[in-house]
Amino acid sequence: ASAQGPAAPLSAEQAKVVLGEVLKAFGAPENAQRMEEARDNACNDMGVLKFARLIKSYESQDPEIASMSGKLKAMFLPPMTLPPHGAGTGGVAAS
């Protein structure tokens, strides 16, 4: 038996396959409860962070990966809205 070194990072093609499978699994109605648990636990999982960093590096190279990554992020992160910027919020004070 040969000793194995550290696992090689995923190629862009492998990343596409993995993202596709993850999106399919997360989108399945029977996995709704698991999705809630995953959202609650996601901040504690170093593997998720490593995977996210790898996928981020491929987003600029491949629009399909960028699209799938956006869909995956939308499942875990709530939509963010910017606060309204009215006339009286910042800028030069009238004198």
Side-chain angles (χ1 to χ4, degrees):
S2 63
Q4 291 184 352
L10 295 174
S11 69
E13 285 302 314
Q14 290 169 320
K16 274 190 217 181
V17 172
V18 171
L19 279 170
E21 291 297 316
V22 168
L23 288 170
K24 186 168 71 172
F26 284 166
E30 63 270 18
N31 291 331
Q33 178 62 36
R34 286 180 167 167
M35 277 300 299
E36 288 301 317
E37 293 168 6
R39 282 187 194 102
D40 292 342
N41 295 325
C43 63
N44 298 323
D45 190 344
M46 184 57 91
V48 170
L49 296 176
K50 288 180 181 179
F51 179 69
R53 191 176 308 137
L54 178 67
I55 294 303
K56 182 77 172 161
S57 72
Y58 288 132
E59 285 178 359
S60 62
Q61 301 171 25
D62 191 310
E64 188 177 356
I65 288 178
S67 174
M68 289 192 289
S69 177
K71 290 175 186 176
L72 187 59
K73 286 176 189 170
M75 291 179 175
F76 286 95
L77 301 173
M80 295 186 63
T81 56
L82 296 174
H85 293 289
T89 59
V92 180
S95 50

